[in-house]
Amino acid sequence: MQISDVSLRRSFTSRGDATIEATVKVGSIEATVTAPAGASTGEYEALHLPSGGYDSVLKSFKKGMLLGIDPLNFKDVSDALKKMDGTSNFSQIGGSTSFAISVASAVAGARASNMQFFETFHLKHQMPFPIGNVLGGGKHAGPGSPDIQEFLSCPVGAKSVFEAVSANIAVHHEVLKQIEKRDPTFAGGKGDEGAWAANIKDEDAIELVRSSIDAVSKQLGIRIIMGLDLAASTFYQNGVYNYSRKGKKLTSEEQLGYVENIIKKYDLKYIEDPFDEEDFEMFSRLTKSVNVMVIGDDIFVTDTKRLRKGISMRAGNGVILKVNQVGTLYDAELFAEEAEGAGFMVIASHRSGDTCDPYLAHIAVGVGAVLMKSGVVGGERISKLMELSKINDDNPQIALWRPII
Ligand code: PGA
Ligand code: ZN
């Protein structure tokens, strides 16, 4: 089986970011994949697009380097893309091009072999729970919204992915009701990932989401845990955490105390990026002091080298995996393998600017993720959630993650 053709087109993400769509052909079978794009991007991520955009991508794109390769050989496809680009961060062809070709190759290869895409991964499969943001702030919403980027809900007591997705949607609706109660003038605005974007301060927002989750959990009789993605690098400036929207600046030490306090006070079970992406030390201290999921996104950027440092310092106990941060499925799979080998949990994640492609669900199951982070509503989020639900229904032999928190 060989890649017989590859073509590129211009496209857009759900936020309207320019991006790349790739079609890979394997004989008469083909697959088309469009790359997502982040807003709170880590410093060390692959570059989404070179400054010259699509025209510049086309100048560096050499289709011939991919022809003849086995589309299911993640390594060979990855090596060819790296050779074609020639830089360490895909600054010539763009991480978007690399992502789209890498995923489209595997999807086309799976189709040509009558396999499901998730079966082409080499790690132990697992059915993750969906985790999604029901209230948003930071770089995903406007100035009146919280400094904290994401307020997350995860129904770990659900018996199926469908039940979990339904529960998250119920929380989404409950959050709206509670926002409207506080602020009758709320116009129903949403942030980039479909979470409500309300004029509310961090702690009021945590309280509101806590009470919404508790109400739905009680009503449905399902355990639902709450989490936050602080995306703290986005407001770490000149050595302090600048909560500009609430007019407060915290030193690193104060930030640690603040995070420990809200974990305890609001019974949070999931904390993502509570510190700046360079502060491995603080990640490590928090992981020692609390018994919750401490997850690194911008700190690791799906990069195995940065992860090794994190593992050696126990800087967290889980990682976000975003294939477009590193550029290829091969490198993402190595990252997951390294994480799982060290006992770190893997959370497969969407981006704030995403597409209606459903493939994240297969990536999540394929790498044995414990959670799939992909929002709650919006076409580009629902496509992944319903694909995960379908995989769950069609493959009862793949067990749902059993939460350890
Ligand atoms: P991004 O944010 O896709 O805008 O980078 C998502 C996240 O931080 O988890
Ligand atoms: Zn994040």
Side-chain angles (χ1 to χ4, degrees):
M1 191 168 53
Q2 297 182 352
I3 294 176
S4 53
D5 194 21
V6 183
S7 57
L8 302 180
R9 283 168 62 84
R10 283 176 290 192
S11 190
F12 293 105
T13 70
S14 55
R15 188 174 34 229
D17 318 298
T19 192
I20 301 292
E21 173 188 288
T23 298
V24 172
K25 285 192 179 159
V26 177
S28 59
I29 307 286
E30 65 176 47
T32 297
V33 169
T34 311
S40 64
T41 45
E43 164 102 23
Y44 301 96
E45 291 195 24
L47 186 74
H48 175 65
L49 270 179
S51 53
Y54 180 64
D55 293 339
S56 179
V57 169
L58 289 186
K59 276 188 207 133
S60 308
F61 176 60
K62 298 179 193 76
K63 168 165 94 176
M65 294 177 79
L66 291 158
L67 303 184
I69 292 176
D70 175 352
L72 289 184
N73 188 322
F74 289 10
K75 182 170 189 319
D76 284 358
V77 173
S78 176
D79 286 349
L81 288 165
K82 286 179 189 169
K83 203 164 158 201
M84 186 191 300
D85 180 81
T87 70
S88 60
N89 66 345
F90 288 110
S91 58
Q92 299 300 303
I93 63 170
S96 47
T97 306
S98 178
F99 170 95
I101 293 174
S102 174
V103 178
S105 297
V107 173
R111 280 180 190 155
S113 323
N114 275 321
M115 287 163 83
Q116 302 176 79
F117 173 34
F118 74 81
E119 294 175 308
T120 66
F121 288 79
H122 313 89
L123 303 173
K124 189 170 182 296
H125 305 334
Q126 178 164 241
M127 195 60 57
F129 282 101
I131 181 166
N133 45 343
V134 287
L135 191 71
K139 287 210 165 176
H140 294 171
S145 68
D147 289 291
I148 293 174
Q149 182 176 281
E150 300 174 20
F151 299 75
L152 298 150
S153 165
C154 184
V156 293
K159 285 178 199 62
S160 67
V161 170
F162 190 84
E163 195 181 35
V165 171
S166 313
N168 269 347
I169 290 174
V171 174
H172 174 81
H173 290 142
E174 179 64 27
V175 167
L176 173 63
K177 261 203 235 157
Q178 298 208 14
I179 294 172
E180 284 173 337
K181 225 194 275 166
R182 274 180 55 96
D183 175 9
T185 67
F186 180 58
K190 290 183 194 168
D192 289 349
E193 295 179 353
W196 300 114
N199 195 334
I200 186 169
K201 296 222 160 58
D202 286 326
E203 289 225 19
D204 293 337
I206 300 177
E207 221 159 85
L208 188 150
V209 172
R210 177 77 266 169
S211 103
S212 303
I213 285 179
D214 290 347
V216 172
S217 176
K218 194 163 164 214
Q219 189 193 336
L220 301 180
I222 294 177
R223 179 175 181 233
I224 306 176
I225 58 171
M226 179 173 168
L228 297 176
D229 178 1
L230 281 89
S233 295
T234 60
F235 56 90
Y236 184 70
Q237 289 143 1
N238 307 319
V240 289
Y241 293 92
N242 184 4
Y243 289 83
S244 58
R245 298 170 188 186
K246 73 173 176 216
K248 220 161 92 175
K249 288 184 181 159
L250 301 183
T251 63
S252 292
E253 205 64 44
E254 288 166 344
Q255 173 78 351
L256 175 64
Y258 171 64
V259 173
E260 285 171 340
N261 179 44
I262 53 175
I263 287 174
K264 218 156 107 198
K265 187 165 171 198
Y266 299 104
D267 192 23
L268 306 177
K269 297 290 186 200
Y270 175 106
I271 291 285
E272 183 178 329
D273 282 353
F275 304 104
D276 179 59
E277 62 204 359
E278 297 299 356
D279 204 344
F280 285 74
E281 180 64 38
M282 279 298 179
F283 269 84
S284 178
R285 284 178 58 187
L286 180 68
T287 308
K288 282 195 195 96
S289 81
V290 295
N291 186 25
V292 305
M293 298 172 80
V294 178
I295 308 298
D297 174 7
D298 293 343
I299 181 176
F300 300 131
V301 285
T302 320
D303 179 86
T304 303
K305 253 204 247 138
R306 290 183 67 86
L307 173 60
R308 282 192 189 131
K309 181 174 172 191
I311 289 170
S312 71
M313 295 176 66
R314 302 310 285 178
N317 52 28
V319 297
I320 288 283
L321 178 144
K322 292 170 171 167
V323 177
N324 80 325
Q325 279 181 331
V326 64
T328 71
L329 279 181
Y330 179 69
D331 283 341
E333 197 178 39
L334 283 185
F335 177 82
E337 191 178 9
E338 185 88 23
E340 286 163 4
F344 276 47
M345 294 171 273
V346 172
I347 290 98
S349 171
H350 65 166
R351 299 309 304 251
S352 52
D354 218 303
T355 76
C356 286
D357 287 348
Y359 305 119
L360 177 69
H362 291 262
I363 294 169
V365 174
V367 302
V370 304
L371 304 178
M372 180 177 87
K373 189 175 179 229
S374 55
V376 176
V377 293
E380 70 282 8
R381 319 289 156 190
I382 291 287
S383 65
K384 294 160 183 61
L385 292 164
M386 287 301 98
E387 185 74 2
L388 188 67
S389 177
K390 183 170 185 304
I391 300 172
N392 183 212
D393 292 345
D394 294 349
N395 299 275
Q397 78 284 3
I398 304 175
L400 265 167
W401 178 54
R402 298 184 59 187
I404 49 160
I405 32 88

